Amino acid sequence: MEAIEELAVQPCTSSLYLRPFRLSYRQNGTRKFWDFMRTHDSVSILIFNTSRQCFVVVKQFRPAVYMCEVERHHPQLFQNQDKESFPSLENPLPAVVGVTYELCAGIVDKPGLSLEEIACEEVLEECGYRVSIADLRRITSYRSGVGVTGSRQTLFYAEVNDQMRTSGGGGQPEEGELIEVVEIPLGESMKFAYDETFPKTMGVIFSFTWFHNNIAPKLPKK
């Protein structure tokens, strides 16, 4: 996962996932504009394995996270954004600075499928567990990236057990996915959530907190 090499930054003139726009508008008599991106909505799934009392999350390399760290260490790289080519990056940072812990998730890009059906597919592809729509509990939906994309993410909860695992997961290699499945023991989950040495999404922190407030009190006492 962390064998990243031959880094090259270049302008993005077209994308299957992002569409940049500039909105001009007048608010309370003041003329304004705002740059934004249109992108897909998404689903995420908090997975709890009842056999081993642990959360199932994923770990993967995120280029956007990596490049934020690159810019922090090498701000000159992005100073001239209108250039056709960017300077090559000597002595690149280790790829581990771009690896994050996340909930199982996926974009909503299949018009024929419901959010629940897409969530079931993502759980199987990324984490290897076969779940049905009946296994899902919808927690809530919220806006992510409100300053840039404004996309909606819908969060589900699913309980699984060892018998429901049919593969090792890991995503779809043919689509370039390289995902590691990670188990976080229930007793260590809140410490993990707030440990900044493990880079993670807000979805992990929020969903772990939701679990401890809504599910944990109902678990059988040991």
Side-chain angles (χ1 to χ4, degrees):
M1 178 185 297
E2 298 173 13
I4 305 297
E5 54 190 357
E6 299 182 10
L7 293 167
V9 181
Q10 56 191 357
C12 179
T13 57
S14 64
S15 171
L16 295 174
Y17 308 103
L18 301 173
R19 291 175 293 150
F21 296 94
R22 172 167 291 181
L23 176 68
S24 297
Y25 62 102
R26 186 180 297 276
Q27 184 178 25
N28 290 352
T30 301
R31 173 62 64 183
K32 298 181 178 182
F33 71 88
W34 194 266
D35 298 335
F36 67 98
M37 292 272 191
R38 285 297 302 123
T39 186
H40 294 286
D41 290 341
S42 60
V43 297
S44 60
I45 310 94
L46 172 63
I47 305 171
F48 183 68
N49 185 313
T50 59
S51 298
R52 290 195 299 284
Q53 297 288 289
C54 67
F55 295 106
V56 181
V57 300
V58 298
K59 179 182 175 183
Q60 56 187 317
F61 175 78
R62 290 297 196 180
V65 175
Y66 180 81
M67 293 309 295
C68 282
E69 289 299 306
V70 168
E71 183 175 19
R72 189 164 67 88
H73 288 81
H74 305 282
Q76 73 282 359
L77 184 67
F78 291 92
Q79 286 177 352
N80 297 310
Q81 298 182 28
D82 296 329
K83 286 186 175 181
E84 288 298 320
S85 61
F86 290 77
S88 59
L89 180 62
E90 299 180 1
N91 302 317
L93 299 177
V96 67
V97 303
V99 174
T100 60
Y101 294 83
E102 310 169 15
L103 297 180
C104 172
I107 60 174
V108 178
D109 62 348
K110 300 174 182 176
L113 297 183
S114 67
L115 296 179
E116 290 78 6
E117 289 171 323
I118 293 175
C120 291
E121 283 191 354
E122 294 299 335
V123 173
L124 180 61
E125 292 172 3
E126 293 192 359
C127 299
Y129 292 91
R130 187 174 299 280
V131 300
S132 67
I133 292 177
D135 296 318
L136 296 177
R137 171 177 173 178
R138 180 171 176 148
I139 299 176
T140 190
S141 65
Y142 42 80
R143 296 289 180 176
S144 59
V146 292
V148 180
T149 68
S151 60
R152 181 189 297 273
Q153 183 168 91
T154 302
L155 173 62
F156 294 96
Y157 171 65
E159 290 186 357
V160 300
N161 55 52
D162 289 346
Q163 287 68 45
M164 296 168 67
R165 193 167 194 185
T166 60
S167 73
Q172 296 182 301
E174 65 273 15
E175 295 184 2
E177 292 183 326
L178 182 58
I179 295 171
E180 179 182 341
V181 181
V182 179
E183 295 182 343
I184 309 297
L186 175 59
E188 302 174 13
S189 57
M190 292 312 298
K191 179 181 178 181
F192 171 84
Y194 290 99
D195 187 341
E196 295 183 10
T197 63
F198 296 100
K200 64 188 71 66
T201 62
M202 177 55 72
V204 172
I205 301 173
F206 169 74
S207 61
F208 281 14
T209 302
W210 174 87
F211 182 95
H212 279 272
N213 289 337
N214 295 274
I215 303 299
K218 304 174 185 177
L219 294 176
K221 303 298 182 182
K222 291 185 178 180

